[in-house]
Structure formats: C-alpha cells, structure tokens
Amino acid sequence: MSTFSSSFIPCDSLPLFSSNFHKVSCFSTSRTNPITLICKKIRFLQCKNSFKQNPIKKIPFLIASRASKMTITEYRDEEEDENPPLLLDSEMKQPRRIALFVEPSPFAYVSGYKNRFQNFIKYLREMGDEVYSLSDNDVIVVTTHEGVPEEFYGAKLIGSRSFPCPLYRKVPLSLALSPRIISEVAQFKPDIIHASSPGIMVFGALIIAKLLSVPIVMSYHTHVPVYIPRYTFSWLVQPMWMVIKFLHRAADLTLVPSAAIAKDLEAYKVTAANKIRVWKKGVDSESFHPQYRSHEMRVRLSNGEPDKPLIVHVGRLGVEKSLDFTKRVMVRLPDARIAFIGDGPYREELEKMFHGMPAVFTGMLLGEELSQAYASGDVFLMPSESETLGLVVLEAMSSGLPVVAARAGGVPDIIPDDQQGKIGYLFNPGDLDDCMSKLVPLLHDAELRDTMGKTARVEMEKYDWKAATTTIRNEQYSAAIWFWRKQKSQFLRPFQWLFQCIFAAPEVVYR
C-alpha cells in the first residue's frame, strides 16, 4: 500500500455533468511510474456497470478522503507484480543469444541430464537462437581437450580445462574463468546466461554474468545435500545448503527438474518461491521405443537364459543410488535375472556384492544398444532415493517397460498416485516387502506387464523435448529477464531519489 498527498479541487465541486477530466499527478520515491488520478462525475449506475466489467480485485484502485488536502491511498492486489507479465507473440519470436555453462559436459560425460541438455541445445538451434555452450571436458580432456566436439547442431562449443572432483574422481569440474572464456563470452554478447547447478562452473558463470550485466538462470540438477552423507561427513550438509542459497539467491530464476525438488528448495528458503520454475520433463520417444526389443540383447542381458524373468536397471553406478537394495531383492527371486547397464565408482563394489548371483554388468551402452537394453527387459527397477527427476524412468516407460521405483525424489512426478498400477508402481524407500508385492506379480504375469507397458508408452508420448524447450525459451527466460530488470530498477531507485533531491523539477506557472 502506498500513500500520496496533494492539494487540488475536490471532485464533488465539479459541475454535475462536466465532461472534462481533471488530472492530478502524484509522485513517490517508492514508485517507478507516477500515478495519475482522474476525477469525473458519473452516475451510480454507470459506476456499477464498470465495476461489473472490471472487478476491483483485478486492478489497483484509489480511495480519496475529502479534506483541504487530499490523501490518496493506493490499494493493490497482493499478488500483483509478483510474477512477470506475459509477453506478446512478437516479443517471444525475437532471437536470443544464449550462453550455456554445463558441468560436467553432456557430450563427454554420461549422466542423467546428458539427453536433457543435448535435446535442449538441439531445439534452441531449431528455433533460430544463437547458443554458446561452455562445458568442461572429462578427465582425459584436461590435457588433450578431446571429447567435446567443435559444434553441436550449429552451437559453438568451448572446452574448459578441468580437474577431477576430490570425492568423485570420475566427475570433472572447472571454474571456466580463464581470460579466453571471458573474452569469448563478452564478444558473443549474450542476452542471457544459463548455468547448471550446483558445481564449480556455476560460480564462474555467475561472475561473468555480473561482469557483463546479463540475466542468469540456474538449473538445479544434482541434489548434493542428499549425496553428502553417503560420500563424506553429515555435518557438511548445512554448509552445502548455504552455498546453494548463495548461488540461487544471486540468480534471476531457478529451474528444477521436478515439483518435489521445488518443494525442497522452497522449504530451505533457497530463493523466492516465485523465482523457482519446473523444467518440464521430456523423453525421446523415437529412440526409446518397444520396437527395439531384441532377442540377441535379451540373451546377453540374461547371461544366456532369455526365458528367465529379467529385471533391468540403467544409470550411473554410485553409492547414492541405493543399489545394495537390489541384492536384497534378488535374494528373494532366485529364478530371476538382473542386468546393470551403466558405469560408475560403485561398480567394482557391486560386482563383488553380486558374485555368484545371476547378475550381468554391461558397462556403458549408447545409441541403439541402449534402446535395445531397455526394450528387452521385463521390469525396470529403480531403488534410488536421490533422483531429482529420474530420466531413466521416463526412457524405460517410453520403451514399454513397466517400472517399479522408490517413492522418493522426482519419480512421483512421473508416476503420480492416481496412476499407480496403471503406468508403474512406487514402493516405500527401503521397504523390501512393499517392493516385492509389486515386483513379483509383474515378473510372473506377462499380460499385466504388457498392459502396463503399453499404457506407460502412451503416457510418455505426451512428453516432448521441443515443447519443454519452447517453454523455457519463451516463458522462463522471459521471466528471468523481467526479474533482472526489476532488481536493476530497485537498485537504481536510491540514486534516482538523490538525483531528484539535488535537481528538483522547476515550478511551472500556468497563465
């Protein structure tokens, strides 16, 4: 609520049917634009009709008290100005120059967001936007700079020298603050910078954004506070939240992969709730399709026993993925087979754990081999409790594979409660009995598997990477730019007030 004072002729002293408007401008240092009060005598019925057409709750309104000096009180809807206004179609179609800072590289390092960023860049380019993608290389590329192509769908790629993460040596990190990179980005003149978070490179992206006075969007992909107790000391969780708060409060907008992660960030007050947006899920439904089911691949995954029930798991083999839970499952299923597709620091430990059991470790599979691996299984098992979304769950369902997953992280966004038993099952994290009650019927009932797999496939066809990219480019980037301009305006307001005090406007005398 804002209050203004001004002296003028009261409205009720005007002629009853005056057709002239009398304008009074009221200024305040707490506003960017002046408010103009317009007084006109109108009939009660006219007033009533106008209020029907324009309800008060949708527009700011003024109340004036009769006095020698009139006090004007401005009432605004509480939500007004909380969210940016929608842009016109013409504004959305304007090309943008976008600098992406992605760590680790989605081209050299296989991770959950590899497909997300590759499809994101692809469709940004198809929309005609100019994109610079700054991404670090894997450990091998530290000296050779191999693994990162020169361009990807026309987007220029710049490799940044990296170093291995001390606690997870297969993850390369880079600050990306070399003079070469700063110069490249400055010459590119981006309209917006988009950085993956958390990590090391996001600090470099933030510094460059502030140096160039450019809006910055941060997308949150790895729920590090959940990982910390599994890799290091639990007392580091709170300091990590402080780092995340520092980063995302400095950002103009935060993107998260699921509503569950958005709630976590809101609960820890990482940034303002209206600056957190969900990056819509997508899946390549052409690459991950039931048509890739292969008898040869099934023989390989089942270690030569294709007639046995086959459980499939795809993903990075890390301790945070709760993969030790799968051994407890397999102890209860002596006739079933399990295949782990992927690699990671926990692979050696898992191979020892499953020694003598019917388990196959394929290592990393890509392209058509990965598509065949998904489509050739019977059930996809996901015990992880730390997934920010669970892209592998989307890919499995797109391949026509029923999913049994832990009810944690972003997975419930994919399999909501009203879809339980239709497109997949969720079990309580760590609850073996709950998991078995949903897994066993699927393994032994081919008709149930087929029905659920087909329903899941139909559901996944709704999720399109192009639509998700369009939402970010047109709506969420626009919101970030709006928040950035608003913050810039608020920063300049004290200087504007000081300027008005020093250089007061001259009095105007009307004759």
Side-chain angles (χ1 to χ4, degrees), residues 198 220 222-234 236-245 264-265 268 270 386 388:
Y220 186 88
T222 305
H223 213 8
V224 176
V226 176
Y227 287 19
I228 285 178
R230 296 175 181 265
Y231 283 96
T232 182
F233 307 106
S234 297
L236 289 174
V237 171
Q238 287 306 316
M240 188 67 232
W241 275 117
M242 292 174 66
V243 171
I244 293 171
K245 286 180 182 180
D264 280 355
L265 297 192
Y268 279 91
V270 168
S386 61
T388 54

Side-chain angles (χ1 to χ4, degrees), residues 390-415:
L391 288 172
V392 290
V393 173
L394 291 168
E395 292 168 355
M397 294 170 70
S398 182
S399 302
L401 204 61
V403 171
V404 177
R407 186 183 284 102
V411 178
D413 279 10
I414 302 173
I415 309 175

Side-chain angles (χ1 to χ4, degrees), residues 100 107 114-129 131 133 152-155 284 286-287 464-466 469:
L100 287 173
F107 307 102
K114 174 180 179 288
N115 288 336
R116 180 188 292 274
F117 271 104
Q118 286 194 4
N119 281 285
F120 182 58
I121 294 168
K122 172 185 174 182
Y123 289 113
L124 277 179
R125 291 296 298 157
E126 285 188 5
M127 289 182 223
D129 284 332
V131 183
S133 179
F152 182 76
Y153 283 93
D284 186 349
E286 294 181 3
S287 296
D464 179 40
W465 281 123
K466 186 174 183 179
T469 302

